[in-house]
Amino acid sequence: MKLMIPVTVKRVEEPELMNKASQVEAYTNANFSASDGSYLESLAESIELAKKTIDSDTLIMDIGCGPGKLTELIAKTWPQAKTIGIEGSAEMIRMARLRKKQNNSNSDLSGLSYLFQNMHSISNGKSKIDPLADVLVSNSVLHHLHDVQVFWRTVKKLSREDSIQFHRDLRRPSSIEEATALQRKYLPSAPEVLRKDYLASLLAAFNVDEVKSQLSEAGLESLEVREVDDRYLEIVGTSSKSL
């Protein structure tokens, strides 16, 4: 009998930024409550493991915050901290600021702000951001980058010594069939633009070994890469003092 050896599907890049109004609207209206809740639980565990006290002097930065839904949840979970969402898409940052304005009456979001800034400018030192982050997070950002070291250079530029790192992203499936099965499982009745983008994101994502190689190249070997359920990976840990 011939053995079937699984072959990892080749990565297919997708656009770095989502500036189309239809994309922004779809992501803003999508219900990601289950994955957002899981994200917040894992982030809280990472903060607890690092024995970090979140107080009024703490700065949490969310790189590639999109329309700000998760950034708002972070700000609500740790209202005593300052939270900054950083985004390079003009349409996304417009929506994030609009959401804050609309929701500020229901929740105290006074510690939340947004910064319209391109990751490439941060990574090459053309844009300086001060102060630096005590907790640096991202969600489904890494797979958008054509040059992934732009992301890791940005991480180093924005981090204090010993800052907490928590980055979650999709994990590339081993086949097109697995990717489409995940699309059907998690977005069975979503708008077509969201379903299409989700499949493209799965195919643009990295696997664990690829991310480990990226971290080694960036000098961030202190960070751990782990698989989470059937579609995510997480990069967690504390920045080394050599950043």
Side-chain angles (χ1 to χ4, degrees):
M1 186 174 75
K2 192 174 181 180
L3 292 175
M4 299 299 292
I5 301 174
V7 178
T8 301
V9 67
K10 186 178 179 181
R11 180 178 184 247
V12 180
E13 291 179 348
E14 65 173 349
E16 289 196 337
L17 295 175
M18 292 184 179
N19 277 315
K20 291 182 179 178
S22 59
Q23 291 175 307
V24 175
E25 182 181 1
Y27 276 84
T28 301
N29 295 331
N31 183 1
F32 295 128
S33 56
S35 58
D36 288 349
S38 169
Y39 182 100
L40 290 170
E41 286 179 12
S42 292
L43 174 57
E45 288 174 7
S46 295
I47 292 171
E48 185 177 355
L49 284 172
K51 296 181 171 56
K52 171 69 178 176
T53 300
I54 306 296
D55 55 30
S56 59
D57 293 325
T58 304
L59 176 57
I60 303 173
M61 281 188 189
D62 182 11
I63 313 172
C65 65
K69 294 179 76 173
L70 185 55
T71 322
E72 275 193 17
L73 291 175
I74 291 170
K76 291 175 184 177
T77 303
W78 293 279
Q80 68 275 37
K82 297 178 182 68
T83 301
I84 297 177
I86 300 174
E87 175 57 49
S89 162
E91 189 64 20
M92 286 288 192
I93 204 76
R94 183 191 70 80
M95 181 58 68
R97 287 169 173 162
L98 178 61
R99 281 179 53 84
K100 181 194 171 184
K101 184 177 180 180
Q102 292 172 338
N103 296 336
N104 199 40
S105 58
N106 299 323
S107 304
D108 180 13
L109 297 175
S110 59
L112 172 63
S113 60
Y114 291 102
L115 180 62
F116 178 42
Q117 192 60 259
N118 187 290
M119 205 177 298
H120 290 269
S121 296
I122 298 172
S123 70
N124 62 24
K126 288 184 179 179
S127 298
K128 285 199 170 185
I129 296 179
D130 186 57
L132 300 177
D134 300 290
V135 181
L136 190 63
V137 306
S138 68
N139 183 47
S140 291
V141 176
L142 183 62
H143 70 266
H144 282 285
L145 275 295
H146 297 172
D147 177 1
V148 294
Q149 288 304 320
V150 168
F151 179 83
W152 297 118
R153 286 196 299 269
T154 299
V155 165
K156 295 171 78 170
K157 292 283 187 183
L158 296 180
S159 301
R160 292 184 184 277
E161 291 184 356
D162 297 326
S163 62
I164 294 171
Q165 302 290 328
F166 185 84
H167 308 284
R168 176 182 280 191
D169 209 325
L170 292 168
R171 188 174 75 245
R172 190 168 77 254
S174 60
S175 67
I176 295 292
E177 291 75 17
E178 184 184 349
T180 53
L182 288 170
Q183 182 197 48
R184 289 193 300 270
K185 178 179 179 179
Y186 290 107
L187 296 175
S189 56
E192 184 58 28
V193 63
L194 195 60
R195 288 171 51 80
K196 182 180 177 181
D197 282 350
Y198 184 72
L199 183 60
S201 292
L202 284 169
L203 298 178
F206 298 96
N207 61 39
V208 168
D209 288 338
E210 289 168 340
V211 175
K212 285 181 178 178
S213 294
Q214 294 168 20
L215 293 173
S216 178
E217 182 180 345
L220 291 168
E221 298 95 333
S222 61
L223 301 184
E224 174 193 356
V225 188
R226 62 194 184 198
E227 292 188 359
V228 180
D229 62 45
D230 59 353
R231 55 179 170 153
Y232 291 121
L233 56 78
E234 290 177 349
I235 304 107
V236 299
T238 304
S239 300
S240 68
K241 293 185 178 180
S242 62
L243 288 188

